[in-house]
Amino acid sequence: MTGTLYGVGLGPGDPELMTVKAARLISEASVIAYHCARHGRSIARSVAEPYLREGQIEEKLVYPVTTETTDHPGGYEGAIADFYELSAKRLAEHLDAGRDVVLLCEGDPFFYGSYMYMHERLSGRFEAVVVPGVTSVSAASSVFGRPLVQRDEVLTVLPGTLPAPELARRLADTDAAAVLKLGRTFSSVREAFAEAGKLDDAVYVERATWGQQRIEPLASVDPSTVPYFSLALLPSPAYASRTSPAPAAPAVPAPGGEVVVVGLGPAGPEWLTPEAAAELSAAEHVVGYGPYVARVPQKAGQQRHASGNRVEADRAREALTLAAGGARVAVVSSGDPGVFAMASAVLEQVAAGHGTGVRVRIVPGVTAAQAAASRVGAPLGHDYCVLSLSDRLKPWEIIEKRLDAAGAADLVLALYNPASRTRTTQLADARSVLLRHRAPATPVVVARDVGGPEEDIRITTLGELDPSTVDMRCLLIVGSSKTRVDDGLVWTPRSY
């Protein structure tokens, strides 16, 4: 009969914060395993020491390298992978012999814990039980004496090893946060908090619940004094707003602000116009669909308001409300905001009476149709029609009528929103309508994720177009009777 592997969470450091189950398993196990550095000392063992007993076998899993020093041909990653394989083999020998093994883990085994590497190697062969522990995040919040989150607030847990711009973006997008794995990353982490405009609200917590714990404002910490067992905490903003003195009322009412609806272009920063970049930099608030907000370069102090894909009216009202308080607000759209995007949504809410006194401006962007056309030549070189196949905001009967009219007029068509998970028949129906007026050999461009990492451009014909290969990230250009394909280039003559 084989033994059982236990991944036992020890909590943040104070032995009294260990669970009763963890203490019992430690005292009962035949084998106690723990990770340690070459010096042989183990923080995990020191926490568990009150519950150890004589006669237990101790397995030291000694890390052989650091990130800076290794002569392994596979570098650090190769050396650490070999170490985990060897460690798993050593533990497996005990388990095969019928001995239960407790692998000690600071905090919680499945929360950035070293135990998980043994779990993924051994749990398929042996029974594996994980005993959760109090995390360093909970401990830091408790010793600081401030709630992490409350009500509808969002908590984001981040590793300090992320690049500073990515950290800054995520910090700006959340209510509360904990950033772990400081040590050498501290300067980068502090830079990210500053860039997100949240440095003054952040606190540094070192060795929470230990005898030598340290708590101070993140902004005042000397980077040279920061150990690995520390974190940066951004606690509940709602709690701070209730317990801090209310700011003095402004001497005069805030004047009406401004909403600028900005087109980001179809993909990365190379598609962003200088005018759009300047407006984004000047904005105090950025409002938009989450993936589009994520494309906006982070600016210190700028607040970001990301939301889902189908709440355009809510987004527009939020932007107008912020601007009515005197703020400068950028509402972002992919492509051009005036083409099936947020410009109309904002103006609809203005017409409904929202944002009285707020100025609204539109800043154009490169459209998806323009981007797709540029990849294949000049299919939009003559008269063309732009049409959305989405029937979410207009009935299919209207779409079919317009397709028929555009087909009869021999216009090139740029088709937006051709398909989605729930709209699977519209493109096939549109193809049938257009074949009433166009030859099956009519060129069709299927452009997916133009400018993005999954860009795929295909040239086919109306007769051979397979609707099942098209999804929401595609844009289609259907040629007119004059559109040509020469040596892989698609173009429509300017004369008719």
Side-chain angles (χ1 to χ4, degrees):
M1 184 176 178
T2 58
T4 299
L5 173 66
Y6 293 95
V8 175
L10 303 175
D14 182 350
E16 293 186 344
L17 290 176
M18 196 183 305
T19 65
V20 173
K21 184 173 184 177
R24 176 178 62 79
L25 289 172
I26 291 169
S27 65
E28 293 176 353
S30 302
V31 180
I32 301 295
Y34 48 86
H35 293 86
C36 63
R38 286 176 173 174
H39 51 58
R41 297 185 299 276
S42 167
I43 294 172
R45 188 192 185 283
S46 67
V47 176
E49 188 170 10
Y51 307 101
L52 299 177
R53 58 175 173 78
E54 291 186 9
Q56 289 176 308
I57 301 170
E58 295 192 18
E59 282 284 359
K60 290 184 179 181
L61 308 179
V62 182
Y63 287 111
V65 293
T66 67
T67 53
E68 298 93 356
T69 59
T70 179
D71 55 2
H72 191 284
Y76 173 76
E77 293 298 331
I80 205 68
D82 285 352
F83 163 68
Y84 286 136
E85 290 295 335
L86 179 60
S87 297
K89 183 178 179 181
R90 288 170 58 186
L91 298 187
E93 291 173 356
H94 291 294
L95 295 166
D96 277 328
R99 292 186 284 269
D100 291 342
V101 175
V102 163
L103 179 52
L104 305 176
C105 187
E106 300 95 334
D108 181 274
F110 278 167
F111 187 77
Y112 294 113
S114 52
Y115 164 78
M116 65 183 69
Y117 301 105
M118 296 299 98
H119 187 87
E120 66 187 32
R121 287 168 170 81
L122 296 172
S123 61
R125 296 169 51 195
F126 306 98
E127 182 181 1
V129 177
V130 176
V131 180
V134 177
T135 70
S136 58
V137 175
S138 298
S141 176
S142 67
V143 298
F144 182 47
R146 288 269 297 275
L148 271 174
V149 279
Q150 50 192 320
R151 296 180 65 84
D152 296 329
E153 290 177 335
V154 174
L155 169 68
T156 302
V157 179
L158 300 162
T161 49
L162 287 177
E166 177 69 7
L167 271 175
R169 180 183 70 78
R170 293 176 180 267
L171 288 169
D173 284 344
T174 193
D175 299 308
V179 182
L180 287 69
K181 302 178 184 289
L182 295 188
R184 290 170 309 210
T185 70
F186 179 80
S187 295
S188 176
V189 170
R190 186 166 62 183
E191 175 188 339
F193 272 93
E195 190 175 340
K198 297 186 176 182
L199 181 59
D200 292 341
D201 300 320
V203 64
Y204 169 84
V205 182
E206 176 184 317
R207 297 186 171 94
T209 77
W210 298 16
Q212 63 271 47
Q213 73 181 21
R214 172 185 169 198
I215 305 169
E216 62 180 274
L218 187 68
S220 64
V221 175
D222 179 356
S224 66
T225 67
V226 176
Y228 182 80
F229 286 99
S230 57
L231 58 80
L233 197 68
L234 185 67
S236 165
Y239 180 87
S241 68
R242 291 197 304 271
T243 57
S244 301
V252 294
E258 180 180 48
V259 169
V260 183
V261 192
V262 179
L264 301 178
E270 65 274 17
W271 297 90
L272 191 68
T273 69
E275 180 187 17
E279 293 293 349
L280 293 174
S281 178
E284 298 168 277
H285 299 264
V286 176
V287 177
Y289 175 41
Y292 301 157
V293 172
R295 285 165 48 186
V296 177
Q298 187 64 55
K299 173 194 169 187
Q302 191 177 70
Q303 297 184 47
R304 298 150 80 89
H305 309 263
S307 52
N309 192 27
R310 295 194 174 188
V311 290
E312 292 93 341
D314 294 341
R315 266 202 295 276
R317 286 192 293 270
E318 180 181 22
L320 292 166
T321 298
L322 290 167
R328 190 166 184 173
V329 184
V331 176
V332 293
S333 278
S334 180
D336 183 279
V339 180
F340 306 122
M342 284 302 299
S344 291
V346 170
L347 294 176
E348 284 173 0
Q349 295 307 310
V350 171
H354 298 279
T356 302
V358 172
R359 182 186 179 197
V360 176
R361 291 190 292 116
I362 314 299
V363 174
V366 177
T367 71
Q370 292 168 328
S374 72
R375 290 298 200 239
V376 296
L380 306 181
H382 198 61
D383 300 338
Y384 67 94
C385 167
V386 177
L387 187 65
S388 170
L389 295 189
S390 173
D391 56 1
R392 189 166 68 88
L393 298 176
K394 62 179 182 290
W396 176 254
E397 292 76 15
I398 296 296
I399 298 173
E400 185 172 4
K401 182 177 180 180
R402 291 175 178 176
L403 281 167
D404 190 64
D410 200 23
L411 295 170
V412 175
L413 284 94
L415 300 179
Y416 282 66
N417 307 315
S420 70
R421 285 192 296 268
T422 58
R423 294 186 298 103
T424 58
T425 62
Q426 283 85 344
L427 181 56
D429 292 342
R431 175 177 171 272
S432 297
V433 171
L434 292 175
L435 282 170
R436 299 172 191 165
H437 309 283
R438 305 282 165 91
T442 301
V444 175
V445 178
V446 182
R448 187 176 190 276
D449 191 34
V450 177
E454 299 179 14
E455 178 176 307
D456 179 52
I457 310 294
R458 291 181 288 120
I459 301 172
T460 183
T461 65
L462 191 59
E464 296 178 351
L465 174 64
D466 181 358
S468 68
T469 65
V470 175
D471 61 22
M472 190 66 178
R473 299 178 67 186
C474 293
L475 179 134
L476 274 61
I477 298 177
V478 181
S480 71
S481 63
K482 302 297 183 182
T483 303
R484 298 168 54 177
V485 180
D486 295 327
D487 297 325
L489 293 175
V490 184
W491 60 287
T492 304
R494 291 183 299 162
S495 59
Y496 195 85

